[in-house]
Amino acid sequence: MNTQANAEQTTTDLENISQFVMLRQQQVADIKHLNKNSLSNQIQFNKINTKSKKPNCQEKNEFIKDLLKNLEIALEEGHTIYSQKNIDKNQLNKLQQSNWLSILDDLQVNNLIKVNKPIVAYHHQNEWFFWLQRQWFAEKKLAEQILTLAKQPLNNLADSLTITYEPKNDKKTANTLQQQAIEKACQFAFSIITGGPGTGKTFTVAKLVTQLQHAHDIKRKQQPNLPPLAIALTAPTGKAAQRMQESLNQSLGDNSLDNAKTLHRLLGIGQDSTPRYHANNPLPDDLVIVDEASMLGLELASQLVDAIKPNGRLVLLGDANQLSAVDAGAVLSDLCHVTALQPYHTELKESKRFDKNSAVGKIALAIQQAIAERIPAEIPTDLLKPATPANFLKANLLTNKIPLFKPNSKEVYQVLAKPYLPFFQFIKDLKSIEKVEKMTMSLDDNRKHLFEIFNQYRVLCAGHHGKLGTTSINQQIGKQLADFLGGIKKEQGFFYHGLPIMIISNDYHLGLFNGDIGICLLINDKLQVCFENKIVPVSRLSLSLCEPAFAMTIHKSQGSEFGCVAVCLDKTHERLLSQELIYTAVTRSKQDLMIVSDNAVLEKALSQKTLRNTGLMLQF
């Protein structure tokens, strides 16, 4: 009987899915028609499973047209939902009857066939929320996945796990909140650890890894055939993954962990965007640690959680006050505010990066508090030092105050280029790798030294356009490098000796990923690009794959740290400005900071909070 019942249920499911696919294909075609043409009375609506008449009312047509347009705009701005009050429900009911919209009374209902319309609607607290079907399913799926993961059983380490275990040679101890985060990560399969710069997120994870490895080693003594604990380090970008690897190895005092990977590489996501690892083929790792989780987009987060194996662990690290992902959604920030997930979340608050007199630390803290309290941020006037190009170009940047430059000076590009002078000098001395090889350092050491010098400084911009956008600044600093070198020869298009570039899209054949930084150098009289772990001939790089990297957007800088940062805010970037943007830029600095902006533009940025309208929290 059970076999027959299962077979009948399988047949029913297949019929429902087939019916759903047919319906969806027709509606996708209708939506494409809507996007190309104005909605007209002649549009033919799908009649599968409905006896309603064609919705040929012009008023209804205009309503669905406006709703689709608003959803499209919302998605482009990073929102996953569009909300509106005072809507006639009768009009929504008619749209539901005509197969354009699904009205849900309860978001906890998990019924594929019920949500079979292009738009999903839900009424909550006197407001209507609308999703495009894809975003609704992504948020619904992610919420279910996380709750399932959080409650799933773990490997049986209880008998050997000792929370208070400390290696004899480890003199650093975890503070109360760090210890709490470790305990939660040991107790649950899912945990979140958030905190600002210098609060010890990586240190906490290093302690966690030590605890779990110690417990696993004890278990292996009892079961000799048990394989070693498999740990995966990952982040949304290559730079963030690399920095995580270096920080963890430094904290652990060894190089025992496997190399960190981008999330795309970890999940095996190829050019068709389909992951190799998923629920039916999970990752082999016992523990997956994700750094810079604020950069997680909705769909990538869902793919990640889906790939965690039974009895595996997932730890998300990040700063919830930083910018959200470029893709739609604000996953980390949303998860930190979900009541049901509070038992799995720890926020670290004690920062040790900046001392009490650090101006950079004080600015970061002021913005962080303003974001939390949802009020405009104010930088104490005694922290900013109005500066002119003349007095800056004659003085060192190091100061206990932050130089604030007005962008209307012709010398602004000289100001922005000056901290690059040590890099310029190294490039000038480095006419070819062969000369360096004759020195005492090896090729790898010199490449490491090259990046250490380059990463001492970076220009961060709100956007690409305008006088203070990445395009203009990269062009102008490139000219100053050319003058310093006595002219440059562009051997391959726009590439030349000394040019830093950033990879802006994944190239799986070359093993290069979005955010990777390389520096063009003449090697054996051939122009090649040195990355921190490989060398690639410029002939294999296309202009569509990279861009100059003297200046980069603040979004692209997430996951990186630099000795000094110049934050450039142009009035043409007003739509992009926010507290989170400035906070992200400021916290990229490990020591020094300068700001190039008009007072009015800076004040506007500090008064605006990024509010992403999402429905993820409604799904829990």
Side-chain angles (χ1 to χ4, degrees):
M1 289 294 293
N2 289 338
T3 302
Q4 182 179 356
N6 291 337
E8 291 176 353
Q9 181 62 46
T10 300
T11 301
T12 301
D13 290 343
L14 290 173
E15 290 175 351
N16 288 337
I17 292 172
S18 176
Q19 186 183 73
F20 169 74
V21 169
M22 292 173 60
L23 175 63
R24 190 72 179 99
Q25 287 175 341
Q26 176 61 43
Q27 290 169 336
V28 166
D30 287 342
I31 290 176
K32 289 181 178 179
H33 181 72
L34 286 175
N35 289 336
K36 293 180 180 179
N37 307 285
S38 61
L39 204 60
S40 66
N41 291 338
Q42 283 71 41
I43 289 180
Q44 298 297 314
F45 288 85
N46 186 9
K47 295 182 179 181
I48 297 178
N49 279 344
T50 179
K51 297 181 180 179
S52 61
K53 296 181 179 180
K54 288 189 297 184
N56 55 8
C57 172
Q58 184 65 29
E59 182 180 353
K60 185 188 299 182
N61 291 341
E62 290 300 323
F63 179 79
I64 190 66
K65 176 182 176 181
D66 290 342
L67 185 55
L68 285 167
K69 183 64 176 177
N70 287 327
L71 281 165
E72 179 185 357
I73 293 172
L75 197 59
E76 288 176 353
E77 295 180 351
H79 310 298
T80 61
I81 59 175
Y82 166 71
S83 59
Q84 186 176 333
K85 296 181 179 179
N86 304 321
I87 293 180
D88 183 359
K89 190 176 180 181
N90 290 329
Q91 198 169 27
L92 295 181
N93 287 334
K94 292 178 181 178
L95 290 176
Q96 180 168 240
Q97 293 169 6
S98 60
N99 272 351
W100 274 106
L101 182 144
S102 299
I103 300 177
L104 300 183
D105 298 321
D106 185 355
L107 287 182
Q108 305 310 313
V109 173
N110 186 15
N111 190 325
L112 178 66
I113 302 305
K114 185 172 183 179
V115 186
N116 61 351
K117 317 290 171 56
I119 301 173
V120 179
Y122 175 64
H123 191 254
H124 179 68
Q125 295 182 350
N126 298 319
E127 193 167 8
W128 281 97
F129 295 91
F130 300 93
W131 290 258
L132 287 174
Q133 188 192 54
R134 181 181 179 122
Q135 276 63 52
W136 183 87
F137 271 116
E139 290 186 335
K140 175 69 174 174
K141 182 179 179 182
L142 180 58
E144 291 179 345
Q145 289 170 321
I146 288 178
L147 289 175
T148 300
L149 176 63
K151 296 174 182 178
Q152 80 174 12
L154 291 163
N155 290 325
N156 184 20
L157 295 176
D159 295 337
S160 57
L161 186 58
T162 307
I163 298 298
T164 56
Y165 169 74
E166 293 285 348
K168 293 181 180 179
N169 60 348
D170 192 348
K171 298 180 180 179
K172 296 182 180 180
T173 58
N175 62 33
T176 302
L177 286 174
Q178 290 169 342
Q179 187 61 47
Q180 185 182 107
I182 294 169
E183 291 174 1
K184 288 182 179 181
C186 288
Q187 182 180 359
F188 303 115
F190 174 75
S191 59
I192 305 171
I193 303 174
T194 60
T199 52
K201 296 186 293 294
T202 304
F203 168 77
T204 302
V205 168
K207 289 285 187 181
L208 168 65
V209 169
T210 301
Q211 301 283 8
L212 293 177
Q213 284 182 332
H214 172 69
H216 194 73
D217 288 343
I218 293 176
K219 190 175 180 182
R220 289 186 72 195
K221 290 179 181 179
Q222 301 168 354
Q223 304 176 35
N225 294 328
L226 195 67
L229 192 69
I231 300 173
L233 308 179
T234 184
T237 67
K239 186 63 180 177
Q242 181 183 3
R243 191 167 68 84
M244 178 192 191
Q245 174 85 50
E246 294 169 351
S247 299
L248 268 177
N249 284 340
Q250 184 177 4
S251 296
L252 291 169
D254 59 35
N255 296 311
S256 59
L257 296 177
D258 291 338
N259 290 334
K261 302 175 182 178
T262 63
L263 276 163
H264 280 77
R265 289 184 65 190
L266 178 73
L267 296 173
I269 298 176
Q271 295 178 342
D272 61 354
S273 299
T274 301
R276 175 186 176 188
Y277 295 101
H278 43 75
N280 295 325
N281 181 36
L283 291 164
D285 307 286
D286 302 298
L287 171 63
V288 177
I289 303 169
V290 184
D291 200 8
E292 299 296 341
S294 62
M295 301 166 68
L296 270 177
L298 178 61
E299 293 194 24
L300 186 59
S302 179
Q303 290 172 326
L304 168 67
V305 180
D306 193 45
I308 301 300
K309 73 176 184 179
N311 297 324
R313 282 180 171 85
L314 173 63
V315 178
L316 301 183
L317 294 179
D319 187 343
N321 293 316
Q322 286 189 28
L323 287 167
S324 298
V326 175
D327 298 330
V331 173
L332 183 65
S333 178
D334 284 348
L335 296 180
C336 289
H337 291 91
V338 173
T339 302
L341 298 181
Q342 292 312 300
Y344 315 103
H345 175 216
T346 306
E347 182 182 5
L348 307 180
K349 297 182 179 180
E350 183 181 344
S351 177
K352 294 183 179 180
R353 174 181 293 185
F354 306 110
D355 62 42
K356 62 180 180 180
N357 296 319
S358 167
V360 178
K362 291 178 181 178
I363 288 177
L365 181 60
I367 301 174
Q368 185 183 49
Q369 292 174 341
I371 292 173
E373 297 173 10
R374 297 181 179 272
I375 60 174
E378 294 185 5
I379 298 178
T381 54
D382 62 335
L383 294 180
L384 295 177
K385 178 184 179 182
T388 64
N391 62 32
F392 173 78
L393 292 170
K394 293 178 181 178
N396 291 325
L397 181 62
L398 299 178
T399 177
N400 60 354
K401 292 188 177 182
I402 307 302
L404 175 62
F405 297 94
K406 299 297 177 63
N408 52 4
S409 168
K410 294 181 180 180
E411 297 172 298
V412 66
Y413 297 121
Q414 290 179 266
V415 169
L416 291 172
K418 183 183 178 183
Y420 271 130
L421 288 180
F423 173 72
F424 287 0
Q425 185 62 53
F426 191 84
I427 291 297
K428 188 173 184 178
D429 296 339
L430 193 61
K431 294 298 184 181
S432 68
I433 288 293
E434 289 89 343
K435 290 185 178 180
V436 177
E437 288 181 297
K438 295 176 182 178
M439 301 179 189
T440 56
M441 294 185 292
S442 68
L443 174 60
D444 288 340
D445 288 337
N446 275 287
R447 195 160 62 207
K448 180 179 179 182
H449 185 54
L450 172 66
F451 279 96
E452 285 176 350
I453 293 175
F454 181 62
N455 288 334
Q456 282 302 307
Y457 173 64
R458 196 72 86 251
V459 180
L460 304 182
C461 308
H464 293 292
H465 306 296
K467 182 178 181 179
L468 294 181
T470 60
T471 302
S472 294
I473 293 175
N474 276 316
Q475 183 180 27
Q476 294 299 323
I477 294 182
K479 288 181 179 179
Q480 294 191 53
L481 172 60
D483 292 340
F484 190 87
L485 297 177
I488 57 175
K489 183 179 179 181
K490 294 189 176 182
E491 302 283 349
Q492 301 284 342
F494 92 129
F495 298 103
Y496 56 86
H497 177 69
L499 172 70
I501 63 168
M502 171 183 281
I503 300 300
I504 56 176
S505 61
N506 297 335
D507 188 311
Y508 297 93
H509 296 295
L510 294 177
L512 297 175
F513 298 89
N514 192 354
D516 287 351
I517 298 289
I519 298 173
C520 298
L521 295 175
L522 280 171
I523 302 175
N524 297 325
D525 296 324
K526 294 183 179 180
L527 198 59
Q528 306 196 50
V529 183
C530 285
F531 295 89
E532 293 190 73
N533 59 351
K534 67 180 65 181
I535 297 176
V536 178
V538 296
S539 59
R540 300 193 64 186
L541 300 177
S542 65
L543 295 182
S544 62
L545 183 65
C546 55
E547 63 186 19
F550 290 112
M552 59 198 297
T553 63
I554 298 170
H555 271 93
K556 288 285 189 180
S557 74
Q558 285 184 269
S560 300
E561 289 181 349
F562 310 103
C564 173
V565 164
V567 180
C568 297
L569 308 176
D570 196 287
K571 60 183 180 181
T572 61
H573 303 150
E574 286 185 347
R575 191 178 65 85
L576 303 171
L577 301 179
S578 68
Q579 294 172 332
E580 289 84 354
L581 187 84
I582 306 305
Y583 175 80
T584 301
V586 168
T587 54
R588 298 311 90 207
S589 168
K590 294 190 288 186
Q591 186 176 3
D592 295 309
L593 174 71
M594 64 178 181
I595 300 174
V596 182
S597 173
D598 285 323
N599 287 336
V601 175
L602 178 59
E603 289 174 5
K604 183 169 185 178
L606 293 172
S607 66
Q608 295 184 151
K609 178 172 174 57
T610 299
L611 292 175
R612 284 208 170 175
N613 207 8
T614 70
L616 182 57
M617 287 187 285
L618 294 173
Q619 302 283 7
F620 285 89

